[in-house]
């Protein structure tokens, strides 16, 4: 069993914001795999399918970003998932705009969603698919920046990156993190 979680904030007012890169990517995966995210439990919306002969869950935590770990911890405890079965899709302001970086583990850095997951799971050894959403301009507050929307020009590039992030997640399942890192990091 595998779990792919896209981080974001619930509610219409957050749709299309930089912080919802994970939600956007989960929606693409759900469409591609014909998964309905119609289960509501564990403070999350989720659905599942069979992929490569294994059950695959797609999840959007319905907590706010800084409490994402609660939903993931509850889900993983209930289904007795190992940390190696978790992939988290997350926005990142520290990598180039519209690029990907896959990491097998690491610190949460300044990202409150990742901090919550590491804290709730007491473990940082889960795979992350990071999506570069742009570097914060000097005059912006960090919260205001990640909750901002893309310009028309940025939107074209970021939507391609969301699609690549979805492909990268499937590549991780198909061929492992190392192969996916070689294929997608920096794209």
């Amino acid at each position: 069993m595998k779990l792919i979680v896209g981080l974001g904030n619930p509610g219409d007012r957050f749709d299309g914001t930089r912080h919802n890169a994970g939600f956007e990517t989960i929606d693409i995966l759900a469409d591609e795999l014909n998964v309905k995210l119609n289960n509501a439990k564990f403070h999350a919306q989720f659905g599942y399918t069979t992929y490569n002969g294994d059950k695959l869950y797609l999840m959007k935590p319905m907590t706010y970003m800084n409490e994402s770990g609660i939903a993931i911890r509850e889900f993983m405890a209930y289904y007795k998932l190992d940390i190696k079965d978790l992939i988290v899709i997350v926005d990142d302001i520290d990598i180039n705009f519209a690029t990907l970086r896959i990491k097998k583990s690491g610190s949460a850095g300044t990202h409150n969603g990742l901090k919550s997951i590491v804290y709730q799971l007491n473990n940082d050894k889960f795979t992350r698919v990071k999506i570069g959403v742009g570097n914060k301009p000097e005059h912006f507050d960090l919260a205001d920046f990640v909750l901002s929307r893309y310009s028309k020009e940025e939107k074209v590039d970021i939507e391609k990156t969301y699609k690549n992030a979805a492909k990268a997640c499937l590549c991780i399942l198909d061929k492992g993190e190392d192969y996916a890192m070689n294929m997608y990091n920096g794209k």
Side-chain angles (χ1 to χ4, degrees):
M1 184 182 302
K2 302 288 183 188
L3 172 63
I4 302 176
V5 179
L7 299 189
N9 284 308
D12 292 342
R13 71 185 181 120
F14 298 107
D15 285 349
T17 63
R18 295 170 195 273
H19 228 12
N20 275 28
F23 276 17
E24 299 282 346
T25 304
I26 285 291
D27 288 342
I28 291 167
L29 276 168
D31 285 346
E32 186 171 320
L33 298 172
N34 199 26
V35 173
K36 304 283 185 233
L37 302 175
N38 56 4
N39 295 298
K41 193 175 177 181
F42 313 111
H43 306 286
Q45 287 182 330
F46 63 94
Y48 64 91
T49 189
T50 301
Y51 187 82
N52 289 343
D54 203 1
K55 200 170 238 187
L56 171 63
Y57 284 89
L58 303 179
M59 174 197 279
K60 289 180 180 179
M62 290 291 110
T63 58
Y64 285 98
M65 180 68 78
N66 61 352
E67 295 183 336
S68 300
I70 295 169
I72 296 168
R73 178 185 44 80
E74 289 179 2
F75 186 97
M76 290 181 69
Y78 183 84
Y79 287 105
K80 297 176 177 52
L81 287 178
D82 189 273
I83 196 77
K84 69 180 175 31
D85 297 322
L86 173 63
I87 299 170
V88 175
I89 307 163
V90 60
D91 60 288
D92 194 313
I93 62 165
D94 295 320
I95 60 177
N96 291 335
F97 178 74
T99 61
L100 297 178
R101 182 179 296 153
I102 299 166
K103 291 185 72 180
K104 294 183 193 181
S105 65
S107 79
T110 60
H111 198 286
N112 288 333
L114 290 177
K115 285 179 184 178
S116 174
I117 296 167
V118 171
Y119 174 77
Q120 290 290 330
L121 300 180
N122 197 28
N123 197 324
D124 67 357
K125 306 287 189 249
F126 55 91
T127 303
R128 303 112 196 267
V129 176
K130 296 179 165 198
I131 299 171
V133 296
N135 302 109
K136 178 187 80 65
E138 282 186 37
H139 65 281
F140 262 80
D141 174 72
L142 179 58
D144 290 340
F145 179 69
V146 295
L147 295 177
S148 70
R149 288 182 169 73
Y150 302 103
S151 69
K152 287 181 184 177
E153 295 80 21
E154 288 176 318
K155 195 165 174 126
V156 171
D157 291 331
I158 202 67
E159 287 179 356
K160 290 177 191 171
T161 305
Y162 292 157
K163 289 176 184 172
N164 276 338
K167 290 176 189 173
C169 288
L170 298 179
C171 185
I172 291 166
L173 298 177
D174 292 338
K175 299 192 178 204
E177 291 99 340
D178 290 332
Y179 185 88
M181 286 162 59
N182 287 329
M183 290 295 295
Y184 289 96
N185 277 3
K187 275 194 165 184

